[in-house]
Amino acid sequence: MNLRRLSGLAAVVAAAGLAVASVQAAEACVDDTLPGRLADAPVRLCIEAKTGQPAHYRLWLAGEVRISGDEPAARQGLGGDWYGHPLWLRCTGAGNVRRCDLTVDGEAAWNAELVLPR
């Protein structure tokens, strides 16, 4: 095996490892239960942010992902369904703070504020 080629390959592998290591991800989650007529339904909202990519939102309701999408869509509103009940999640904010509002059947049902770690 050519040692020069091997050292070049090692440099490429090391550079690729460095590139992978430089992609950082941060996740913020909030766990709660829905109030009102949907009381006791567990809700979990997570925002994952990776360097150089739009943040990704996931909302679990009763243990299943019901809404998922990237930040540009979440600012406009993301739709989902829970046993025939239309869900709508809209998130706004700047910097590392996001405020998210959830409606169920067109009525305000829940909201949360999440802070992404820097």
Side-chain angles (χ1 to χ4, degrees):
M1 183 178 280
N2 185 335
L3 192 54
R4 176 177 274 165
R5 185 183 311 173
L6 184 58
S7 65
L9 179 60
V12 168
V13 169
L18 181 61
V20 169
S22 68
V23 173
Q24 295 183 6
E27 185 173 66
C29 297
V30 63
D31 295 290
D32 202 355
T33 55
L34 291 180
R37 65 186 176 90
L38 302 170
D40 298 326
V43 61
R44 177 178 177 88
L45 176 64
C46 292
I47 302 172
E48 182 182 28
K50 292 181 181 175
T51 304
Q53 297 178 11
H56 188 80
Y57 293 76
R58 282 184 321 279
L59 180 115
W60 287 263
L61 198 52
E64 293 187 35
V65 174
R66 303 295 178 168
I67 296 176
S68 181
D70 288 336
E71 186 155 56
R75 289 186 179 279
Q76 299 298 314
L78 296 167
D81 181 79
W82 184 40
Y83 300 108
H85 298 278
L87 305 173
W88 191 254
L89 179 70
R90 186 167 185 271
C91 299
T92 58
N96 66 329
V97 178
R98 300 295 183 276
R99 177 176 168 82
C100 297
D101 297 292
L102 176 69
T103 62
V104 178
D105 293 329
E107 298 177 15
W110 180 80
N111 61 60
E113 190 170 277
L114 291 99
V115 179
L116 287 170
R118 292 207 179 245

